[in-house]
Amino acid sequence: PTVDRQPAEALPPLVRVMEVQPQDVHLVVRSQGTVQPLVESTLVAQVAGRIDWVAPVFAEGGFFSRGDRLVQIDARDYELAVSQAEAQVAQAQVRLQLEQAEAELAEEEWQDLGSGEASPLALRQPQLAEARAAVQGAGAALEKARLDLERTAVRALFDGRIRTKFVDLGQFINRGTPVASVFSTRAAEIRLPVPRDQLPFVGLDPSLRFDPAADTGPEVILRASIGRHDYEWTARVVRTGSEFDPDTRMLPLFARIDDPLRRRPGSVDSPLPMGLFVDAEIGGIELRGVFVLPRSALREESTVLVVDEQDRLRIRDVGVARTERDRVYIETGLAPNDRVTISQIETVVDGMRVRTVVEPPFLSPVAEPEVGP
């Protein structure tokens, strides 16, 4: 039989499309940092002497409370100095009493025997002033001796923990000798570098300040793995750095967490160790009514391909609110139920016919940008 030949019909290309709907998205900015104490200092001896006692907690990692005595320096020399100063005060007071009596006697004699106005020297006023000054000086020396005696006990100025100790029992130390490196357990801070183009999404205005009407800064979720366990803590941004880092071109944000080691009564969360390297998610602003698409849907940074009712491709200019590694947020240029092409098409002609396969919507209740130092 004779076969009728017909020309082959070229089928329109098959593309994957996604029907878009506006969404409200809470952005987050990712960063990383190391946990550091808010307050850290070096305890220094204010008097010289031999250490004759150390507290049981005076060791690396030991906890202490405000006012606790950590190190005791031999106080016998300073006790003797206090006794000598007390004796000098008593002597100065006796001399003052004698000078007061001599001054009163001189005034009576002048009234009985003298004539005219008496000179201050005749009334022994300079001697009386000198005696009063001697009492004052002896009192100051006594206070200094008592202060030195008090300083033989090296005490903690805050609730904290010992990082490193530099001295030990039996060691002779001089004034100004470092005793221990300590830090406060009241709060910790994490320095989180953020790129310049991500700062608006954290809620910072061009002046790089947080809204003064707001009571608190953005919330920060800290995450880290210790062993086989994953942990999570909540902190809050309290301030920005003073300048951009000239090497990384990033501005640091400082997140603070209170009671990181969970020392307060009633704390049930896991402790956050100092020096731990953590991943951070900084809570940012909310984008309302944006269209979330895969990153592959964006062409030339500002256009997308939309399939109309006649299954024809249309090149559409859009306004991009934010671009991330795997997704993009469109503010303008799209409407609800638009079919946006997410396939990679090498040659595109406006109005070309296509066949479509509908993909499920790209839901993104929380953004997860790839941002970090």
Side-chain angles (χ1 to χ4, degrees):
T2 303
V3 178
D4 296 333
R5 297 191 177 189
Q6 297 180 353
E9 181 180 358
L11 294 176
L14 183 66
V15 297
R16 295 181 297 122
V17 297
M18 179 180 295
E19 293 185 357
V20 295
Q21 298 294 337
Q23 305 178 37
D24 295 337
V25 179
H26 289 275
L27 299 179
V28 298
V29 176
R30 290 186 181 275
S31 186
Q32 296 173 320
T34 302
V35 182
Q36 297 292 340
L38 178 62
V39 177
E40 53 183 332
S41 62
T42 300
L43 296 179
V44 176
Q46 294 180 280
V47 295
R50 179 177 56 85
I51 298 176
D52 58 7
W53 181 86
V54 295
V57 298
F58 189 70
E60 183 175 345
F63 288 94
F64 55 83
S65 300
R66 177 184 175 90
D68 285 354
R69 185 177 56 154
L70 302 178
V71 172
Q72 178 63 54
I73 298 173
D74 188 0
R76 289 174 293 179
D77 291 340
Y78 300 97
E79 292 172 350
L80 293 176
V82 170
S83 299
Q84 292 177 351
E86 289 174 346
Q88 292 175 356
V89 169
Q91 292 174 357
Q93 289 175 345
V94 170
R95 181 183 174 188
L96 175 60
Q97 293 174 359
L98 292 176
E99 287 296 340
Q100 288 174 342
E102 291 288 345
E104 292 174 359
L105 182 60
E107 184 176 0
E108 292 177 357
E109 290 178 350
W110 183 263
Q111 290 177 356
D112 294 339
L113 303 176
S115 62
E117 186 177 357
S119 64
L121 187 59
L123 298 180
R124 300 188 65 84
Q125 292 180 359
Q127 294 87 337
L128 184 59
E130 181 184 6
R132 288 173 178 166
V135 171
Q136 186 176 2
L142 176 59
E143 289 300 321
K144 176 63 169 58
R146 288 174 176 172
L147 185 59
D148 287 342
L149 177 61
E150 181 182 349
R151 287 172 174 171
T152 58
V154 180
R155 298 184 181 275
L157 299 180
F158 46 75
D159 296 343
R161 195 174 190 182
I162 295 176
R163 172 175 287 165
T164 308
K165 69 173 186 177
F166 304 121
V167 298
D168 214 330
L169 186 66
Q171 183 176 346
F172 184 89
I173 58 177
N174 293 311
R175 184 188 299 269
T177 300
V179 174
S181 174
V182 298
F183 61 85
S184 172
T185 57
R186 181 176 63 89
E189 281 191 346
I190 304 93
R191 186 178 186 272
L192 303 174
V194 175
R196 181 178 57 185
D197 59 348
Q198 302 298 326
L199 292 175
F201 301 112
V202 183
L204 284 176
D205 59 19
S207 65
L208 304 181
R209 296 181 179 177
F210 292 107
D211 183 3
D215 295 333
T216 56
E219 187 177 81
V220 181
I221 303 300
L222 307 174
R223 294 188 175 91
S225 297
I226 302 177
R228 298 182 178 180
H229 301 281
D230 297 329
Y231 296 93
E232 182 177 300
W233 304 269
T234 301
R236 192 169 295 278
V237 175
V238 294
R239 71 182 190 279
T240 65
S242 59
E243 61 183 4
F244 281 89
D245 190 305
D247 297 326
T248 63
R249 306 300 181 187
M250 295 185 181
L251 181 71
L253 304 184
F254 290 89
R256 182 176 301 177
I257 178 172
D258 293 330
D259 189 25
L261 299 181
R262 305 305 186 230
R263 299 284 294 171
R264 297 175 184 172
S267 297
V268 295
D269 296 338
S270 301
L272 176 59
M274 298 298 164
L276 182 67
F277 188 77
V278 295
D279 296 318
E281 290 184 357
I282 306 172
I285 61 176
E286 181 182 16
L287 297 180
R288 293 185 174 275
V290 294
F291 298 90
V292 185
L293 295 173
R295 181 65 178 83
S296 60
L298 188 65
R299 300 173 62 90
E300 299 180 355
E301 303 301 328
S302 61
T303 60
V304 296
L305 300 179
V306 179
V307 180
D308 62 13
E309 293 81 357
Q310 287 77 35
D311 287 341
R312 295 184 179 275
L313 279 182
R314 301 299 177 185
I315 301 176
R316 187 84 58 85
D317 292 329
V318 294
V320 180
R322 182 186 179 97
T323 302
E324 300 171 2
R325 178 183 59 184
D326 60 346
R327 69 195 70 189
V328 62
Y329 302 91
I330 307 299
E331 282 185 314
T332 60
L334 294 178
N337 300 318
D338 275 350
R339 295 184 297 171
V340 179
T341 301
I342 60 176
S343 296
Q344 296 293 329
I345 304 177
E346 295 183 359
T347 303
V348 177
V349 178
D350 190 73
M352 64 182 292
R353 188 179 295 277
V354 295
R355 294 176 297 148
T356 61
V357 174
V358 179
E359 296 285 340
F362 195 84
L363 299 178
S364 180
V366 177
E368 296 183 356
E370 183 183 15
V371 176

